[in-house]
Each structure stands twice: as C-alpha cells, then as structure tokens.
Amino acid sequence: MSKQLTISIIGAAGKMGTRITNNLLKSNYNLLFCENGETGIAKLKERGLTNTETEKAIPQSDLVILSVPDNLIGKISEEIVSMMKKDATLLLLDPAAAYAGEVSLRDDCSFVVVHPGHPPLYRAQDNLEAYNDFFGGVARQDVVAALFQGKEKHFEIGKKVAKDMWAPVDNVYDVTVDQMILLEPAAVEVAGGSVVYLIRDVIGELTERGIPKEAAQSFVLGHLRTVLAIVLDVIPAPVSDACKLAIEQNYNRIIKEDWKEIFESDVVEETVKGMLGLKK
C-alpha cells in the first residue's frame, strides 16, 4: 500500500483554493490548509477546516500547492520553497511565473506546473448540471502539465493530484512550460479572448443598427456554433461556397496579416511580464 501523501494548500480559502480543496477532500490525502489572513482563516473555519501555519505545514508536506495570485508567486515561493523538505514537490497552477523566472527553485525539490483546460465546447457531459458547468469540477475536462524542474516520479505524482483536484478529468497532456505559455496567455487570452471581444462588439454593432439584441445574439452564436463544428472537424460537413467566398473577400478587414507574432518569444515575454506587473 502506498504512503498517504501529505499536501499543503497555500491559499486554501481563495476561489481556486476552495475549488481544489473541495475536490481533494474526496481523495485519500492528508491535507493541510494554509491562510495567513484573518479573512481566509475565517472562511476555512466556516467550512469546518482548520488553518495550519505555513511554518508547521510546509516542512512535513510531500507536495505543496501554491494557489495564490500570479503576481505574488515570486515573493511567496521564496518563503515556501526554503521550508520544503528534500524531495518535496511544489505544484504551480499557472505557467506565467515559472516562464518569467519568478519562482524560487531548489535542486533537491521538484517543480510541476498544471493548468485546467475547462470543459471543452463539444465534450459530451453526463447531465444538465455538468453541461452548465463552465469551469470544471462537475463537467469533464482535460489538464495540461509540465515538469519545470525535478524528478519524473514527482511529475507523475503531480499529475495524479491535478486529476483529483480538477476531477472529473479525462486526459492529462504533457507539455513544457514554454508550450503551456503559448496555450495561455497567447492562444486563449490574447487570440481567443480578442476574438470573443470582437464577437461581443459585432453583436453590439448589430443592435446599434436596429436589430433586437436577443435576435442578434441568437443568430450570431447559433451560426458560430455550426461554423466552429465544421471548421474544427467536429462534424463531417463542408462550409458553404458562399461562406468561403465571404471570408476570403473580407478576412484581411478583420485579421491582421502579422497576427501570429503573438506567439513570438519577445511578444510572449512582454505579455507575461505585463500580467505579472513586472518591468517590461
């Protein structure tokens, strides 16, 4: 029988900390919950959980989950990592700080980055509650994971914990930190977020031109759902010739020719530093 894993959750009363704590409570781990402010400690108490001081929790933990804002990871990791025991693992929930070199490291510890993909648009779900879950925890989702530094066996443990804290999880995809940063922020926030803002503005423009908002939103989102399914090969159907021609004639009115520069290292670095509040 494998040894029960002792896990400390730093920021256990925050939004993400609460979500992952609730899931990990369903698994067979020895959990220690850490908050350093009165508000966070009170929130833990409301949920029937006991706060453990980091000075007591970290040295006895096999794995430490850092569930804190990205721009605080540098400062907090400096304190936490120095207290970790040999061969312990630090689990980061976002790649930005690791990519920017803001995470304190130790040669005798492992550092793993994991991030949820959130329930995919066309993933079949078990029930209506799961269908209406946009973040995960009820709906099935996937996770990406990267070994930033350390041992492969600790990476496997980190991935197992990630599956449990974001359950139900279908797949855990191994990537590097550099690849994960292309997924977020470059792909889903810079590119995807910009496109979504464009769709919002399109619906707003239609409303300004006299079309009822409900009609505009229903029509646009319905067509987008279908086009996405076709273009991404979710369904075996072609895009109409008229649609292709309309896109070809107007693509450059919407999309800049050099849009792929968002994936270039200098642009990615500038974006990440901006997110972390670092000097560019």
Side-chain angles (χ1 to χ4, degrees), residues 158-177:
K159 290 192 288 185
K160 170 62 169 60
V161 172
K163 287 192 71 171
D164 290 336
M165 71 186 187
W166 284 314
V169 171
D170 287 331
N171 305 290
V172 178
Y173 297 110
D174 292 1
V175 297
T176 66
V177 168

Side-chain angles (χ1 to χ4, degrees), residues 8-21 34-35 64-70 73 76 90-93 165-166:
S8 286
I9 306 171
I10 310 301
K15 289 182 180 179
M16 179 59 77
T18 296
R19 193 177 302 155
I20 64 179
T21 292
C34 302
E35 283 287 347
V64 179
I65 300 174
L66 210 52
S67 181
V68 299
D70 288 348
I73 287 177
I76 294 176
L90 184 69
L91 200 64
L92 299 158
L93 308 185
M165 71 186 187
W166 284 314

